[in-house]
């Protein structure tokens, strides 16, 4: 066992897959000689060579489109978006070409698009985005959002092995802040589509994913200490397809649910989850499903503003109290 | 008409350009005729309301599609990606007319099982890949296909079509540039047919010739008469050979003309009558027939035989396709992912349909 | 009063605004001499000239970006997407540039992007889309979806006059199928952000918009006749900002709600509505909020398949019965 | 150093190229120096942790920014759109150093009220418009700005910068093509500084010179030494004049060099040392100073006075900006729309923050 960061875990996962399967290759801006803007692919160029770690022009649509073409022929491309915010430039390619390939043309399209998402880093409106809601709406895609180092590794490996296109959103705030002991050998794969119970509890459920898992756990500690409340924290890990069984289970257990995400509220992933809970477990609810999310604004740069717009631990605590008291 | 004496045929064969033989010339003729006749059958079916969606014609552009696709080496695993006016390319690659009919009529037996329309279908085995409607998107995809050839050290070549209109898209630019930077074995065929929907070339681009765009990408540019099937074959073949030899991308402008409206519903009122008449006189099949017979490369009997073969094949295909059923409704839910969702998903329909 | 189609009503609205305000101009593919793929701008080129009805190259990102530039300087551009499916090519421009302009740079961006959306026309996966959910998630945009000829006219006029960017999704199935008596003079403007009670009822509420309003009304007739149930139909008309007050009112009145949209289910607009109802009117609910939507697939071409995937009147009826019996 | 005799000055003035006068040469010098010194101040603040986000430098590219922006006619209402390395252009257009400092330090008083970072801000009055990060997007936007000039019959000109890397984006292509087709009064300045982040030019494009891309759009192409401020001014001025005269778009390639890493955190380990040294010897300010003094267009005293002015202004600006507060938290919710939502919206935060 060695302690590795979230970023190092991701890097390990990528490296192991590239060693295991020569069909795997990486393409993106500055991923080669430079090792990627956040150094996720550092050392890869040296180990795997230019043909498997490909620096591209600044062309997100072409990066994703080329990955799709390669995937059709049996390759396993992993495309990096330098910041995930730039995935919007490949929106057409992902939603219209990639996502539909199997359905409309029986074309396999096993590619991964990954990149750093998320705020709390003073990145301003174009280096902090959380694009999951924009793609949740697209049948044919899968979406994973690791919160832990273990899942950073396990989900990238699963994503690469998956026979369908997977969007892998890694949270840049967690890159170097999260550390975990991981086994040095053995094949650590996190199954896509399965949530993880991050904390067992009985009084209320916090359904969340990505960096918010940590805020939820922090909030749970406060609630336990200050209110004697036992919050359960469900880390979804995969958003598409969603682990409905795990959601149902926690709802049935606590009967009080809140959903926490970093993304803006309107049209965010929480709406979908709330609707599903409503449809499948209405009679189990003792209180309305509540949401803690970012406010509906572009994400501002100034620390005072960013902190105000993004969800904070205190927000989770306060909504949890409201829920518990309902 | 009496058949030419064999001697004349032999004499002329020596002069066939572009390294082609007589049998291949007849194949070219066959595919051009097949393309045109199949579209005529489709137009009939369309008028009878049997084509479900729109119908797109390549009348007058058959040489462009057939000649360029013919330059690929199917046995080497070359691949292409067609657009709506490249029915001819599909047929050359081995697509079956009956499958095209099934596509247009949305049959259960169609290559996309009724999911996609017209020539939006592909066949990896036969070496073509289905387009989507969003123009320009196939450039990056074909860059990825040819990147794979390159990475694997396979001596295969890719060919992608792009319209004069589609060249204005961002996707075209990004894919073209990526292919150029990596010297991918890709041939880009820019079909200059004068229009994109109702938009004339000078409202689409400020360059008088599409081939000039090659310079922006540092790739070789070529330009040919798109209504001369042998010229098309020749220019494409040289580009294919260069691509196979590792010399990278060629952008080929084929100058041709869209003789029908954008789709069957479009009455082309915006097109000058004399322009249409001029291009009618420049029909690529008529031209090729004249060339074949004048040069003694084929005799009338051979052409008639080809026509008869086309007619027979299409009779059978129309017959076969027409009677086939539409897809089963519930089949619509299959195949979004390789595996169906792990559990009965609450987001599936609440109700079952009859 | 004259009877006009939905399409003609839209055209009237556009024409009236162009006559009223010379800052209004139109740009898009084939909108000029040809009059637009669906002839929405037929006759405009002749009336307003080349400078106000501009044919562009096939460049959705440039069309929207240029509209934004013009809007900054006080123009009122109306950009047409030939089919709304191609708006995905301008996704980056709309979500990152246009939507944030006021917030990040205090730049006014009063533009309209409009185009034909929707299925039931055998258009296949790329000529039938409903992109509202992709943009609901973007603060800074407004989204309107007229269902009636009156609102087709009233909302295009309101959209053009709005000082913020508005996406106007017109349903191509309704173009020539819906007719209505409209006053020949007078300034018909539908306020953005206000829902419309399409049918009063007491037993359950059907919240919907665009073409589905008509299916909901059909279903209401069946329910009335066959079950004696009085369904209320709320036509949202604007999705962003949403008319929360109207939603709340109908929920409080009937206590049983279903949401109907043509778009796919997961990540669709219905999730957001369900979450809002949950948050603001949980105690008024006598039954779970249910959804009738398209199935989660690309939209297939064959009539048998398209009809199966898209929501039909019978689905609304059957879910309504379930809701009433809950 | 002693001042040159006035006579020498007068004699030399006659030889100033590009129709410039002595006062303008001093202005050019002032803006280049101001740009460099302001960035040096920012680098200091960055090291002190007072800059909140990243810091982008234009060291060695000041001539490119200043010379090109200087060619616009601000009184005529010309407009430009800068990129991260065009601080110099902003200053020429009248942006205040204190506002730049406020931006980097995310102050409440900054032009974007703390919402956007670094030089991502605009000022319609002063004639510049704020960029977003997504590269290439400003091309279509500036096409819309100049389309408006054209539609209104205003004799105003727009200028937009694009990096060698950003030219690979689809947005660049679409905007460029639209501007070309409509012959908009737009000058496109392609800054060839050798790198996009770590990516060298030949991995970004297969053309050796960016100016070759002009041909694909049917626009005029020009190329100039981007480290020679007078050459930059001259080539841009001619393009601006042509644009104003209705002659359409010019694409200008300015050849320069990025002497710092992509941003302050980037140590440029991928850059050959001798390459850096070579370009250090080609510093645009040093070159201009030599030119000014050798030609007798300015004397050392004047340059010292300009330096002193810059230092004084920056002292004051840093002083002023540093003490200013960050924005009020709740101000984050204002201004998403022109009007706040009509009613208390349930999607607003449930909780109020302290
Ligand atoms: C991105 C995008 N925008 C708009 C359309 C609508 N559209 C379909 S075909 C067409 C014209 C295409 O012209 P061209 O590329 O010249 O091909 P041609 O029809 O002449 O063969 C347009 C505008 C589209 N399919 N994709
Ligand atoms: C669409 C998009 N993709 C990626 C990025 C990330 N990025 C920011 S600057 C940069 C390099 C830009 O190079 P260039 O255009 O040459 O400008 P320079 O930095 O040299 O001035 C990259 C890749 C971005 N901002 N936008
Ligand atoms: Mg064309
Ligand atoms: Mg550069």
């Amino acid at each position: 066992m060695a302690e590795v960061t979230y970023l190092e875990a991701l890097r390990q996962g990528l490296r192991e897959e590239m060693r295991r399967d020569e069909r795997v290759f990486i393409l993106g801006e500055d991923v080669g000689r430079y090792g990627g803007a956040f150094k996720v692919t550092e050392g890869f160029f040296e180990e795997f060579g230019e043909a498997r770690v490909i620096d591209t022009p600044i062309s997100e649509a072409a990066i994703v489109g080329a990955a799709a073409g390669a995937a059709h022929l049996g390759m396993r491309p992993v495309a990096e978006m330098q910041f995930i915010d730039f995935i919007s430039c490949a929106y057409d390619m992902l939603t219209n070409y990639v996502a539909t390939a199997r359905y409309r043309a029986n074309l396999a399209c096993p590619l991964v698009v990954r990149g750093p998402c998320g705020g709390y880093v003073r990145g301003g409106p174009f280096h902090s985005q959380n694009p999951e809601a924009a793609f949740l709406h697209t049948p044919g895609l899968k979406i994973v959002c690791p919160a832990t180092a273990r899942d950073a590794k396990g989900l990238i490996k699963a994503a690469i092995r998956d026979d369908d296109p997977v969007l892998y959103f890694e949270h840049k705030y967690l890159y170097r802040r999260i550390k975990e002991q991981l086994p040095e050998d053995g094949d650590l794969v996190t199954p896509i589509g399965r949530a993880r119970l991050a904390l067992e509890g009985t009084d209320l459920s916090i359904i969340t994913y990505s960096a918010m898992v940590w805020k939820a756990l922090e909030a749970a500690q406060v609630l336990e200490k200050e209110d004697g409340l036992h919050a359960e924290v469900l880390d979804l890990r995969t958003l598409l397809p969603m682990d409905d069984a795990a959601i149902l289970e926690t709802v049935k257990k606590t009967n009080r649910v809140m959903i926490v995400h970093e993304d803006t509220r309107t049209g965010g992933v929480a709406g979908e989850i709330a609707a599903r809970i409503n449809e499948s477990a209405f009679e189990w609810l003792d209180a309305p499903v509540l949401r803690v999310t970012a406010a509906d604004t572009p994400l501002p740069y100034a620390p005072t503003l960013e902190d105000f717009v993004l969800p904070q631990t205190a927000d989770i605590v306060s909504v949890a109290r409201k829920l518990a008291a309902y | 008409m009496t058949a030419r004496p064999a001697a004349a045929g032999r004499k002329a064969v020596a002069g066939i350009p572009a390294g082609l033989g007589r049998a291949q010339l007849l194949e070219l003729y066959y595919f051009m005729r097949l393309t045109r006749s199949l579209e005529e059958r489709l137009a009939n079916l369309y008028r009878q309301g049997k084509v479900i969606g729109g119908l797109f014609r390549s009348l007058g552009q058959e040489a462009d599609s057939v000649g360029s696709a013919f330059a690929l080496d199917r046995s080497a695993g070359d691949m292409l990606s067609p657009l709506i006016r490249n029915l001819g390319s599909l047929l050359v690659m081995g697509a079956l007319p009956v499958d095209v009919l099934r596509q247009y009529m949305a049959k259960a037996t169609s290559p996309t099982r009724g999911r996609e329309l017209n020539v939006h279908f592909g066949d990896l085995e036969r070496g073509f890949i289905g387009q989507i409607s969003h123009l320009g998107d196939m450039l990056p995809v074909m860059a990825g296909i040819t990147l794979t050839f390159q990475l694997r050290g396979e001596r295969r070549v890719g060919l992608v079509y792009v319209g004069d209109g589609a060249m204005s898209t961002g996707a075209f630019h990004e894919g073209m540039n990526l292919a150029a930077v990596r010297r991918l074995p890709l041939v880009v065929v820019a079909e200059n047919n004068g229009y994109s929907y109702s938009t004339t070339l000078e409202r689409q681009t400020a360059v008088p010739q599409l081939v000039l765009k090659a310079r922006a990408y540092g790739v070789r540019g070529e330009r040919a008469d798109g209504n001369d099937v042998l010229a098309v074959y020749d220019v494409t073949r040289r580009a294919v050979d260069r691509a196979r030899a590792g010399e990278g991308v060629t952008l080929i402008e084929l100058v041709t003309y869209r003789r029908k409206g954008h789709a069957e519903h479009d009455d082309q009122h915006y097109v000058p009558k004399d322009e249409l008449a001029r291009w009618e006189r420049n029909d690529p099949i008529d031209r090729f027939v004249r060339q074949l017979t004048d040069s003694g490369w084929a005799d009338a009997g051979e052409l008639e035989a080809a026509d008869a073969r086309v007619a027979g094949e299409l009779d059978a295909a129309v017959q076969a396709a027409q009677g086939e059923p539409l897809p089963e409704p519930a089949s619509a839910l299959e195949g979004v992912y390789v595996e169906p969702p792990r559990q009965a998903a609450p987001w599936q329909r609440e109700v079952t349909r009859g």
Side-chain angles (χ1 to χ4, degrees), chain A, chain B:
Chain A
M1 300 280 266
E3 195 172 70
V4 295
T5 60
Y6 180 97
L7 187 141
E8 175 57 27
L10 161 58
R11 186 187 289 137
Q12 278 182 6
L14 275 171
R15 197 191 292 119
E16 286 174 18
E17 290 307 294
M18 289 191 72
R19 287 181 183 162
R20 186 188 60 79
D21 183 350
E22 61 173 21
R23 300 171 308 166
V24 181
F25 73 100
I26 288 173
L27 72 172
E29 295 152 19
D30 309 293
V31 295
R33 292 167 183 79
Y34 190 72
F38 286 92
K39 303 289 179 194
V40 170
T41 54
E42 186 154 56
F44 283 42
F45 183 82
E46 292 72 16
E47 177 171 354
F48 300 106
E50 205 276 330
R52 294 183 69 197
V53 197
I54 299 179
D55 277 334
T56 64
I58 304 177
S59 305
E60 284 76 11
I63 292 168
V64 172
H72 294 335
L73 296 192
M75 302 292 282
R76 294 273 159 167
V78 180
E80 173 173 309
M81 304 281 106
Q82 195 157 80
F83 284 80
I84 209 65
D85 310 60
F86 305 125
I87 201 173
S88 54
C89 300
Y91 181 81
D92 161 50
M93 196 60 84
L94 278 164
T95 60
N96 289 309
Y97 189 86
V98 169
T100 64
R102 179 176 298 283
Y103 187 77
R104 70 179 154 77
N106 205 24
L107 276 173
C109 206
L111 58 82
V112 179
V113 178
R114 51 156 285 273
C117 71
Y120 301 94
V121 297
R122 318 317 186 195
F126 307 115
H127 289 79
S128 310
Q129 294 177 1
N130 294 290
E132 62 270 19
F135 296 101
L136 186 75
H137 177 249
T138 307
L141 298 179
K142 296 183 175 182
I143 306 175
V144 300
C145 300
T148 64
R150 171 175 287 267
D151 286 334
K153 180 166 183 178
L155 283 171
I156 193 68
K157 290 171 73 98
I160 291 171
R161 296 180 193 188
D162 201 280
D163 288 328
D164 285 310
V166 180
L167 308 183
Y168 177 104
F169 298 141
E170 56 210 54
H171 203 293
K172 70 176 90 66
Y173 181 87
L174 302 181
Y175 270 159
R176 295 185 170 85
R177 286 184 179 86
I178 294 298
K179 289 198 183 72
E180 201 171 339
Q181 299 281 344
L182 293 186
E184 256 147 292
D185 42 18
D187 201 20
L188 201 163
V189 179
T190 304
I192 289 179
R194 296 267 169 81
R196 173 182 75 96
L197 207 53
L199 180 71
E200 283 204 58
T202 47
D203 297 325
L204 61 100
S205 303
I206 306 178
I207 300 177
T208 187
Y209 55 93
S210 194
M212 291 306 93
V213 169
W214 301 102
K215 293 220 183 296
L217 290 171
E218 252 173 50
Q221 274 195 327
V222 175
L223 290 165
E224 166 125 38
K225 203 146 98 199
E226 298 185 7
D227 306 67
L229 284 172
H230 299 279
E232 176 146 309
V233 177
L234 186 69
D235 172 6
L236 289 175
R237 304 197 291 195
T238 299
L239 299 182
L240 196 62
M242 216 174 260
D243 190 343
D244 294 296
I247 293 173
L248 201 63
E249 203 172 311
T250 191
V251 174
K252 287 188 178 169
K253 183 168 169 194
T254 68
N255 315 115
R256 286 161 208 273
V257 193
M258 59 193 286
I259 306 159
V260 180
H261 63 56
E262 179 184 327
D263 187 21
T264 48
R265 171 168 298 210
T266 297
V269 170
E272 178 63 29
I273 301 172
R276 290 187 183 202
I277 292 174
N278 209 268
E279 287 168 337
S280 60
F282 182 71
E283 49 280 45
W284 293 89
L285 288 177
D286 289 343
V289 177
L290 297 180
R291 293 184 283 180
V292 173
T293 69
D296 281 338
T297 73
L299 193 63
Y301 164 55
T304 46
L305 303 181
E306 185 183 32
D307 288 346
F308 187 81
V309 168
L310 289 179
Q312 306 295 347
T313 303
D315 301 324
I316 304 175
V317 170
S318 110
V319 172
R321 284 177 181 149
K322 198 166 145 182
L323 196 62
Y326 189 90
Chain B
M1 240 186 263
T2 50
R4 284 162 176 278
R10 261 204 304 283
K11 189 189 89 216
V13 170
I16 299 179
L20 290 166
R22 286 190 76 227
Q24 289 172 301
L25 295 183
L26 278 173
E27 269 192 272
L28 286 171
Y29 174 76
Y30 164 76
F31 282 120
M32 285 167 72
R33 177 63 67 199
L34 183 62
T35 305
R36 179 159 304 174
S37 298
L38 176 49
E39 284 188 5
E40 285 163 357
R41 303 288 180 123
L42 284 163
N44 265 332
L45 293 165
Y46 181 85
R47 279 188 291 274
Q48 295 166 39
K50 289 180 180 161
V51 164
I52 310 276
L55 171 61
F56 297 86
R57 301 290 301 273
S58 67
L59 179 70
Q61 298 186 222
E62 297 89 347
D64 142 3
S65 292
V66 168
S68 52
F70 205 78
L72 291 177
D73 185 349
R74 281 180 58 202
S75 66
D78 290 352
M79 288 185 66
L80 65 74
S81 140
L83 295 175
I84 38 172
R85 284 181 231 294
N86 298 116
L87 173 59
S89 315
L90 290 185
L91 296 171
V92 169
M93 297 304 281
L96 304 177
V98 69
D99 276 341
V100 175
L101 289 158
R102 287 165 170 154
Q103 278 291 119
Y104 269 101
M105 295 191 282
K107 299 297 192 183
T109 46
S110 72
T112 66
R113 298 156 66 204
R115 285 145 185 231
E116 253 281 34
L117 20 76
N118 57 56
V119 295
H120 285 212
F121 70 100
D123 186 334
L124 280 187
E125 292 300 307
R126 290 195 167 94
F128 58 96
I129 183 163
Q131 62 170 312
I132 65 169
S133 297
H134 292 71
L135 293 169
D137 282 12
M138 298 315 291
L139 257 290
V141 173
M142 287 304 291
I145 296 272
T146 50
L147 174 66
T148 305
F149 297 163
Q150 189 187 62
L151 293 178
R152 289 178 175 161
E154 298 172 344
R155 288 171 58 81
R156 298 163 69 183
V157 173
L159 185 153
V160 60
Y161 296 94
V162 63
D164 46 307
M167 291 178 98
S168 302
T169 62
F172 162 78
H173 176 69
E174 294 196 1
M176 185 77 196
N177 185 55
L178 177 64
V181 167
R182 298 202 59 92
R183 293 178 70 80
L184 298 178
L186 182 63
V187 178
V188 180
V189 176
E191 298 178 283
N192 184 352
N193 64 359
Y195 290 89
S196 36
Y197 214 134
S198 76
T199 305
T200 50
L201 192 66
E202 72 278 6
R203 280 178 288 145
Q204 194 66 244
T205 171
V207 289
Q209 303 191 347
L210 302 180
V211 68
L212 294 170
K213 298 193 188 237
R215 309 215 189 145
Y217 301 99
V219 304
R220 189 172 178 120
E222 300 264 14
R223 190 167 200 253
D225 178 348
N227 284 22
D228 176 347
V229 70
L230 296 182
V232 171
Y233 171 80
D234 182 52
V235 73
T236 314
R237 182 57 198 268
R238 284 185 286 110
V240 167
D241 289 346
R242 280 196 303 272
R244 206 181 310 281
E247 292 167 38
V249 179
T250 305
L251 175 75
I252 302 174
E253 175 181 7
L254 296 180
V255 182
T256 181
Y257 189 78
R258 195 194 74 196
R259 296 231 310 269
K260 286 285 188 180
H262 172 62
E264 209 62 7
H265 71 270
D266 169 10
D267 66 5
Q268 293 180 284
H269 62 271
Y270 50 86
V271 172
K273 292 275 166 297
D274 58 325
E275 187 181 280
L276 259 179
R278 184 152 35 88
W279 281 94
E280 244 177 80
R281 290 193 298 273
N282 189 14
D283 183 83
I285 300 189
D286 292 350
R287 273 178 67 177
F288 193 42
V289 167
R290 276 198 301 276
Q291 212 179 352
L292 287 173
T293 50
D294 289 359
S295 313
W297 297 333
D299 61 38
E302 288 169 309
L303 300 183
E304 275 161 26
D307 293 352
R309 180 180 156 208
V310 164
E313 286 173 355
L314 291 181
D315 285 346
V318 171
Q319 180 79 16
Q322 274 207 55
E324 289 170 349
L326 296 182
E328 274 305 311
S331 72
L333 300 183
E334 295 158 12
V336 177
Y337 297 96
V338 66
E339 287 171 13
R342 213 159 24 88
Q343 65 225 20
W347 65 94
Q348 294 296 6
R349 317 187 56 89
E350 308 273 339
V351 288
T352 340
R353 301 276 173 63

